[in-house]
Amino acid sequence: MIRLLHIADIHLNTGFASKENVVREQLKEGLVKSFERAIGYVIEEDLDGLILAGDFLDNDKIPFKLEQTILALFEKLFYAEKHLFYATGNHDPMNTTLFLKKFDEEPFFHYFDSDEPKHLQLTMPSGDILEVVGCGHKSKNEKRNLIKQFPRKINDHIWLGIGHSSVPSAFSVGLKEQYMAASLEDIESLKYDYFALGHIHIQQLLSNRIAYSGNLQGLNYKEIGDKGGLLVELMHDDIRVTPKVFNEIQWEAFDFELTEALTTLSELETALLTFVSEQISDIDRSSNRLILRVNLEGRTSLAHGLKETENLDYLSSVIKRKIGLLSVDLKPLSVSTLVDKQFLLNEKTVLSEAISISKHLNENKELLERLLELPIFKATMTYTEKIAEIRRILEVTEEDLIDCFVRGKI
Ligand SMILES: [Mn+2]
């Protein structure tokens, strides 16, 4: 059996420039600690090695201190006779990782930084022969599917593939850059025993032998929850993949609905304290390791108060201190003034007229015909598609109109 830890997308030298000093330093330290934990796990559990599936680093600026830490941690692995398989990703600097040259002669270091797939054969302590195929890149914007050039498994050794690549069918939040895109079928057709992927930060198994490990610690509010890597145990005709948690700091984001009942900032403070405590009751909060965002949404008589950064900062600091968190960011995502809708509709105003017109826009045939003549449609669009597009544009909701008028946007 061969046992490896698969991790990726650590982005170890991320700057967290938008954060205040204290939080920034803790986030940076947290990344290093998470990586130390992963290295420690490989050594303590006596695994055979560590796979870094790209984006280990984030950019060219690697602080000297961090460089030294990386060298020391890599050395620790090699001293313990653990293999390190590192394939570069789109965020790994191309020519600036000169400090890793130190390990050019190191038999346990296997660096896949070329856009030519590299194929190694190693005899592992168990006596199993491991065939490893991986590649890196020459451009941050690799459009070619280099995985297509990987050789297929041709013997009964254990085959491991490593690549930093976007698989279009994988789950990701928002639009992820299509970097070295390869389809799941391309990877499956290689018939490898395991394929370690990097690039998408959400841990997921695309099949029982192909997986993204996700990143070691979240980098922003989109990367919430536990983070870590995958323990991969490879046998000749079997495989076991087990998630392992390594993150030091944990990001979370919640939506808080403002209600009419909250009429003072003090009531809001109490409500937020209860809400946040409930939301995080299942999370281990030892050592203030949570960084939270609370999105505020809804209509409230407190809207004006919540426009003031000073008030938001004050509320954040109270929640942070009373609950014991690393940081809280209260974000008024869509907060608007409380209005009496029925009253507004019944008034003789431009707003009530606008609402009644918007309700009937889609039924106005003369208007639809005029709009169809506008040069705004793609040549390939059918009549039905054009009508659907017009209806989409005309769909000005009551809420949007009220917002525009009441907030004084018009
Ligand atoms: Mn990437």
Side-chain angles (χ1 to χ4, degrees):
M1 183 164 69
I2 299 174
R3 295 159 77 226
L4 302 163
L5 180 66
H6 166 196
I7 60 174
D9 298 281
I10 299 133
H11 295 262
L12 201 57
N13 52 332
T14 300
F16 300 103
S18 63
K19 297 284 161 203
E20 54 175 315
N21 276 349
V22 185
V23 178
R24 185 188 309 151
E25 287 315 309
Q26 295 213 41
L27 283 166
K28 287 189 193 176
E29 259 174 48
L31 275 181
V32 175
K33 269 194 196 161
S34 312
F35 183 56
E36 275 174 358
R37 237 174 237 160
I39 298 261
Y41 181 82
V42 172
I43 296 171
E44 280 148 32
E45 296 295 319
D46 199 21
L47 306 188
D48 296 300
L50 179 69
I51 304 165
L52 284 176
D55 286 1
F56 172 56
L57 297 163
D58 192 67
N59 57 57
D60 297 352
K61 285 185 206 148
I62 305 158
F64 186 52
K65 186 182 161 202
L66 182 60
E67 217 175 86
Q68 297 304 304
T69 307
I70 294 170
L71 291 177
L73 286 169
F74 280 15
E75 260 163 9
K76 207 171 148 186
L77 266 184
F78 304 143
Y79 182 75
E81 304 195 337
K82 306 300 173 199
H83 290 277
L84 173 60
F85 306 98
Y86 173 13
T88 55
N90 55 320
H91 286 276
D92 285 308
M94 279 164 280
N95 300 314
T96 46
T97 41
L98 289 175
F99 71 103
L100 292 178
K101 276 205 162 302
K102 185 176 177 185
F103 301 123
D104 274 357
E105 304 297 316
E106 170 57 58
F108 287 94
F109 185 49
H110 314 287
Y111 195 31
F112 302 85
D113 61 337
S114 158
D115 58 351
E116 293 274 317
K118 186 158 101 179
H119 185 171
L120 307 172
Q121 200 187 62
L122 300 162
T123 304
M124 304 306 275
S126 58
D128 293 313
I129 298 173
L130 180 67
E131 307 255 1
V132 191
V133 185
C135 72
H137 64 104
K138 278 214 176 91
S139 144
K140 288 189 176 192
N141 190 16
E142 181 59 72
K143 292 280 184 230
R144 292 170 298 165
N145 175 358
L146 299 175
I147 291 176
K148 268 211 142 139
Q149 298 170 20
F150 281 28
R152 273 173 169 241
K153 175 172 173 167
I154 44 158
N155 54 29
D156 62 356
H157 300 157
I158 292 176
W159 285 62
L160 166 69
I162 310 171
H164 196 80
S165 159
S166 46
V167 175
S169 57
F171 175 70
S172 87
V173 178
L175 276 178
K176 188 83 192 164
E177 306 161 62
Q178 291 290 304
Y179 173 79
M180 203 174 93
S183 72
L184 187 55
E185 293 72 35
D186 293 337
I187 304 174
E188 273 174 334
S189 71
L190 299 173
K191 305 277 178 216
Y192 287 5
D193 294 86
Y194 186 69
F195 203 105
L197 287 165
H199 192 54
I200 293 179
H201 292 187
I202 302 167
Q203 190 172 91
Q204 57 196 297
L205 266 73
L206 302 183
S207 80
N208 64 336
R209 296 181 181 276
I210 302 169
Y212 281 105
S213 62
N215 52 351
L216 275 187
Q217 176 178 296
L219 299 174
N220 54 56
Y221 293 112
K222 284 187 201 146
E223 300 181 355
I224 55 171
D226 281 337
K227 292 279 184 178
L230 293 168
L231 166 65
V232 183
E233 296 172 291
L234 291 155
M235 291 143 271
H236 275 280
D237 41 20
D238 202 5
I239 181 170
R240 205 164 36 226
V241 181
T242 318
K244 294 286 162 192
V245 171
F246 296 113
N247 64 299
E248 167 72 11
I249 286 167
Q250 185 164 333
W251 299 72
E252 291 292 342
F254 306 111
D255 296 334
F256 180 83
E257 190 65 35
L258 295 154
T259 60
E260 280 187 39
L262 299 169
T263 56
T264 65
L265 284 172
S266 161
E267 281 167 1
L268 176 61
E269 178 189 313
T270 312
L272 279 171
L273 280 169
T274 312
F275 172 78
V276 171
S277 304
E278 275 170 10
Q279 295 293 318
I280 62 172
S281 58
D282 292 339
I283 302 172
D284 164 29
R285 285 187 287 120
S286 50
S287 66
N288 294 357
R289 50 189 283 280
L290 263 186
I291 174 162
L292 278 193
R293 166 170 283 174
V294 182
N295 294 313
L296 303 175
E297 294 171 341
R299 294 194 180 279
T300 170
S301 56
L302 298 170
H304 287 290
L306 292 176
K307 279 204 179 91
E308 303 297 327
T309 317
E310 202 185 339
N311 288 336
L312 291 168
D313 288 349
Y314 178 77
L315 276 171
S316 301
S317 71
V318 171
I319 298 167
K320 178 181 133 173
R321 184 169 39 82
K322 287 202 176 162
I323 300 186
L325 303 160
L326 170 60
S327 160
V328 182
D329 174 26
L330 286 180
K331 197 175 164 65
L333 199 62
S334 64
V335 176
S336 44
T337 320
L338 198 59
V339 290
D340 182 340
K341 249 193 246 173
Q342 215 42 55
F343 176 78
L344 288 175
L345 290 177
N346 295 337
E347 265 185 328
K348 289 226 166 297
T349 59
V350 179
L351 172 61
S352 60
E353 285 301 322
I355 289 174
S356 104
I357 292 169
S358 86
K359 279 187 173 162
H360 298 109
L361 279 179
N362 278 325
E363 295 151 27
N364 187 331
K365 281 208 178 111
E366 199 189 318
L367 175 68
L368 286 181
E369 269 163 33
R370 242 185 11 249
L371 294 179
L372 276 172
E373 298 303 315
L374 294 177
I376 58 169
F377 305 102
K378 281 188 212 135
T380 51
M381 281 172 103
T382 63
Y383 176 80
T384 324
E385 282 169 342
K386 285 181 188 173
I387 293 287
E389 179 66 5
I390 292 173
R391 289 196 197 281
R392 192 189 61 77
I393 297 169
L394 291 180
E395 229 168 63
V396 181
T397 66
E398 210 172 276
E399 288 289 317
D400 291 333
L401 280 168
I402 292 175
D403 271 349
C404 286
F405 280 83
V406 176
R407 282 184 185 175
K409 280 189 185 165
I410 284 180

